[in-house]
Amino acid sequence: VNIVSIIGTDKEGKTIKSLLDEYHPTIKINLIKSITRKTAIKTRIIGQGNQQIIRIDEEKINELSDKESGQILRLVKNNINDCDLVILSDYLKGILSAHIIESIIKIAKMKNIKVIVDAKDSDVRKYKNVFLLKPNLKELSAMAEKPLNDEEAIINAAHKICSENHSEYVLVTCGDKGMILIKANGESITYRSKAKEVYDVTGTGDTVIAYLAIGLANDFEIEDAVILANDAAGLKVSKFGTSPVSLSEIRLATGNQLYNKIITLDDIRDILPDMRARGYKIIFTNGCFDILHLGHIHYLNKAAQLGNILIVGINDDDSIRRIKGVTRPINTINDRMQILSALECVNYIIQFKEDDPSNLISEIRPDVLVKGADYKNKFVVGTDIVESYGGVVQLIDYLD
């Protein structure tokens, strides 16, 4: 993440800088210090049951000076080559003027980089030629200069803005109702909210545009990027305050096929802390799964019933050749993983290159290590590792 903004020369500005410094080098910080501006402070008054009663904003809203505008644009130009996508988060605080926005769009377009905007200004002409606009329902009503009381009215207003502004998409967030994606060709898709309970909407719009950006920067189709953003929003509103939503939380909560079951060792390291924090019982098994048959299905279903998350380690093609000979595998590693990922009982699949999964078991530290009954009276690889920290090995009977 590459952040460009302005702070005041005050203690709050120093606080923002020190908070961002904690994430270095994940976040590249480009903050201009201004002697004429106050760092904005939002104070929320919270009542019983974490109910937000009122918010008090202390800020000085004024347009940037010519010097500050020049500094902002130089920072954008100097960093644009490192970017896959640009988010303009326009909170109407004087930084993102019409001139600044127009200039950033031109800079990005020269590099063929998409610009998406969290749009608060009712003067929608300010956002001309952006790839995507993301107003909420109240903001869209202000842009359209009329109330929008049903889905058809929302779609028509958004499509008009899409056409007049030469944008590809408008994404309207509709609170606990979900969101609507409107395309330049007039098509629309409605995404119902995934929220099980709406606890606090603070920061939900930021969560939506952040995950939309993650999807687009990773070459998701726009429809899939919105699904990701909608899933993230559903989790955000169930939390109190400006709490972040991690990708591993989304994976665990939704089980969505977008968030591929086929993962890497780095993915495992990212996901495991959330699994442990939720008290999930982790099951691990491994094999070649070269010719999937009813016995495998029975075995994997039984394994999944022993806990909450079933992780399957699968031998890559070279290790199978070493174990079974040059005529195997019949199905490639990619085919075998795709077939396993279609099984509802399997949560994650990870390939390994060694002849046995000892290293993988050491990394995952499953609560239960599972093998078939053919291993009775045989040593199950990984037993010593699992039993060393109190885990168990479970054998599953054959299916006749």
Side-chain angles (χ1 to χ4, degrees), residues 283 298 300-308 310 345:
I283 314 303
H298 167 81
L300 292 169
N301 273 315
K302 290 289 185 185
Q305 290 168 18
L306 298 173
N308 306 103
L310 175 60
C345 61

Side-chain angles (χ1 to χ4, degrees), residues 28-47:
K28 187 173 180 184
I29 306 157
N30 300 286
L31 296 177
I32 299 164
K33 292 179 182 177
S34 171
I35 58 172
T36 63
R37 296 181 76 88
K38 174 180 172 58
T39 304
I41 308 164
K42 298 180 181 182
T43 305
R44 291 180 172 87
I45 309 300
I46 308 298

Side-chain angles (χ1 to χ4, degrees), residues 13-261:
K14 289 177 182 175
T15 300
I16 287 177
K17 177 72 165 56
S18 66
L19 288 167
L20 289 169
D21 281 339
E22 291 177 22
Y23 292 91
H24 180 79
T26 309
I27 295 177
K28 187 173 180 184
I29 306 157
N30 300 286
L31 296 177
I32 299 164
K33 292 179 182 177
S34 171
I35 58 172
T36 63
R37 296 181 76 88
K38 174 180 172 58
T39 304
I41 308 164
K42 298 180 181 182
T43 305
R44 291 180 172 87
I45 309 300
I46 308 298
Q48 224 172 9
N50 289 330
Q51 176 66 45
Q52 187 175 153
I53 298 168
I54 195 169
R55 194 184 82 203
I56 302 162
D57 293 359
E58 299 170 67
E59 57 195 3
K60 186 177 179 182
I61 298 173
N62 55 289
E63 294 287 322
L64 299 182
S65 67
D66 290 342
K67 180 184 177 183
E68 289 166 340
S69 293
Q71 286 176 300
I72 289 279
L73 293 175
R74 273 194 299 278
L75 285 170
V76 172
K77 283 178 184 174
N78 292 342
N79 290 282
I80 196 74
N81 288 331
D82 296 329
C83 298
D84 301 296
L85 183 134
V86 174
I87 300 173
L88 299 179
S89 190
D90 187 9
Y91 274 83
L92 301 179
K93 305 300 182 188
I95 294 177
L96 289 176
S97 64
H99 166 66
I100 290 280
I101 289 177
E102 182 184 6
S103 301
I104 291 174
I105 291 167
K106 283 180 180 176
I107 293 166
K109 277 189 175 291
M110 285 174 65
K111 302 290 183 179
N112 202 28
I113 293 171
K114 295 181 177 72
V115 178
I116 62 177
V117 179
D118 204 338
K120 299 270 189 290
D121 203 324
S122 59
D123 185 0
V124 73
R125 293 171 299 178
K126 185 178 175 183
Y127 308 119
K128 208 163 189 176
N129 297 314
V130 299
F131 177 74
L132 179 143
L133 272 175
K134 189 203 74 62
N136 62 28
L137 189 50
K138 182 182 175 183
E139 291 154 358
L140 182 66
S141 294
M143 291 171 184
E145 299 181 324
K146 61 182 179 182
L148 304 170
N149 298 320
D150 56 50
E151 197 166 297
E152 185 180 359
I154 294 167
I155 291 167
N156 290 338
H159 182 238
K160 185 181 179 187
I161 288 169
C162 222
S163 300
E164 292 177 354
N165 265 40
H166 307 294
S167 296
E168 296 285 328
Y169 303 97
V170 173
L171 179 64
V172 186
T173 54
C174 306
D176 60 0
K177 301 288 191 296
M179 51 190 77
I180 304 172
L181 178 70
I182 295 90
K183 304 180 182 182
N185 64 7
E187 291 178 13
S188 66
I189 305 172
T190 300
Y191 300 79
R192 299 302 175 199
S193 174
K194 296 291 187 69
K196 293 178 181 174
E197 183 182 16
V198 179
Y199 191 61
D200 187 347
V201 297
T202 305
T204 305
D206 297 322
T207 301
V208 168
I209 203 155
Y211 269 102
L212 187 70
I214 287 172
L216 292 172
N218 283 281
D219 299 322
F220 278 35
E221 296 296 330
I222 183 70
E223 296 85 358
D224 290 339
V226 177
I227 290 172
L228 174 59
N230 195 36
D231 285 342
L235 287 171
K236 170 63 204 73
V237 296
S238 67
K239 298 182 173 199
F240 174 66
T242 51
S243 306
V245 175
S246 71
L247 186 57
S248 55
E249 280 182 277
I250 300 174
R251 274 178 161 150
L252 287 171
T254 65
N256 196 313
Q257 289 299 304
L258 276 175
Y259 324 125
N260 211 333
K261 290 183 179 184

Side-chain angles (χ1 to χ4, degrees), residues 280-299:
Y280 284 175
K281 192 174 183 181
I282 299 166
I283 314 303
F284 178 84
T285 191
N286 67 281
C288 299
F289 300 101
D290 190 13
I291 307 168
L292 200 70
H293 53 69
L294 187 58
H296 290 132
I297 307 298
H298 167 81
Y299 168 77

